[in-house]
Amino acid sequence: EVQLVESGGGLVQPGGSLRLSCAASGFTFRTYDMNWVRQAPGKGLEWLSYINRGSSHIYYADSVKGRFTISRDNAKNSLYLQMNSLRAEDTAVYFCARDRAATAREGGMDVWGQGTTVIVSS
Amino acid sequence: QSVLTQPPSASGTPGQRVTISCSGSSSNVGSNPVSWYQQFLGTAPKLLIYSNNQRPSGVPDRFSGSKSGTSASLAISGLQSEDETDYYCAAWDDSLNGRVFGGGTKLTVL
């Protein structure tokens, strides 16, 4: 079964850090580009970051640029999101999602994890 | 304020055909493929349409997508009660160098 499972969410104080992980199974992870997307409580979807299969092309939303870092370990079939300088407005459910296309512009995220919740609060 | 503009709500009766619009600009919808997602409360989004009008396997042909210029649309024909949920459009934005979503449309089946 094709599956993505996020972990690493939790409660963190403003200014703190957290590292999210996304474990992939059921498909050849190293041949797919990946994304992180979040959803704040009661709000819509917000794309955060994209990394291509070889980690040579990485993009970020302006809202997290300079604070969040996406990375992957193809040997471990895993995607990561290092989140630093966290703010209250970063409180959200964080999803990892597989890109079905060969390039970022083509789009289409066809496999999603169940999400992990991050709460930034003192 | 989302880069892509969707109506916050839409509605229809069972069996009816409804459309949800997604308005963008030349840097996103106007120059890149649009995808559509369906999301039920508390669950992960599901890809409904990619490359403007392509359906992944398993998505009923009641769902269709189209694009013209800087606007895209999702059409749902033969509306069913289980279609009542949230829908989002997305596209790559060449100016922002990132992916952007619409604000989402809540579909109600009357």
Side-chain angles (χ1 to χ4, degrees), chain B residues 34-70:
Chain B
V34 175
S35 53
W36 289 90
Y37 302 86
Q38 178 189 56
Q39 186 185 31
F40 291 96
L41 189 64
T43 70
K46 171 188 174 182
L47 179 65
L48 274 184
I49 297 288
Y50 65 93
S51 296
N52 303 323
N53 55 18
Q54 301 299 302
R55 280 187 311 276
S57 62
V59 173
D61 58 7
R62 302 188 297 106
F63 294 90
S64 62
S66 63
K67 189 178 88 169
S68 179
T70 58

Side-chain angles (χ1 to χ4, degrees), chain A residues 35 39 99-100 104-105 109 113, chain B residues 32 37 39 44 50 94 99:
Chain A
N35 301 267
Q39 187 168 36
D99 228 80
R100 60 160 300 284
R105 295 181 71 197
M109 293 173 280
Chain B
N32 294 302
Y37 302 86
Q39 186 185 31
Y50 65 93
D94 293 331
R99 194 160 284 160

Side-chain angles (χ1 to χ4, degrees), chain A residues 35 37 39 43-47 50 59-62 65 95 99-100 103-115, chain B residues 31-35 37 39 42-47 49-51 56 88 90-92 94 96-103:
Chain A
N35 301 267
V37 176
Q39 187 168 36
K43 303 296 184 182
L45 300 173
E46 180 187 15
W47 172 84
Y50 165 99
Y59 305 102
Y60 296 99
D62 286 344
K65 200 173 295 182
F95 298 98
D99 228 80
R100 60 160 300 284
T103 68
R105 295 181 71 197
E106 292 178 61
M109 293 173 280
D110 65 346
V111 179
W112 294 67
Q114 84 289 349
Chain B
S31 53
N32 294 302
V34 175
S35 53
Y37 302 86
Q39 186 185 31
T43 70
K46 171 188 174 182
L47 179 65
I49 297 288
Y50 65 93
S51 296
Y88 296 87
W92 188 263
D94 293 331
L96 298 175
N97 222 17
R99 194 160 284 160
V100 290
F101 279 100

Side-chain angles (χ1 to χ4, degrees), chain A residues 78-92:
Chain A
S78 293
L79 175 73
Y80 306 102
L81 186 68
Q82 177 66 43
M83 306 187 296
N84 299 330
S85 303
L86 284 162
R87 309 164 179 165
E89 54 264 36
D90 295 318
T91 294

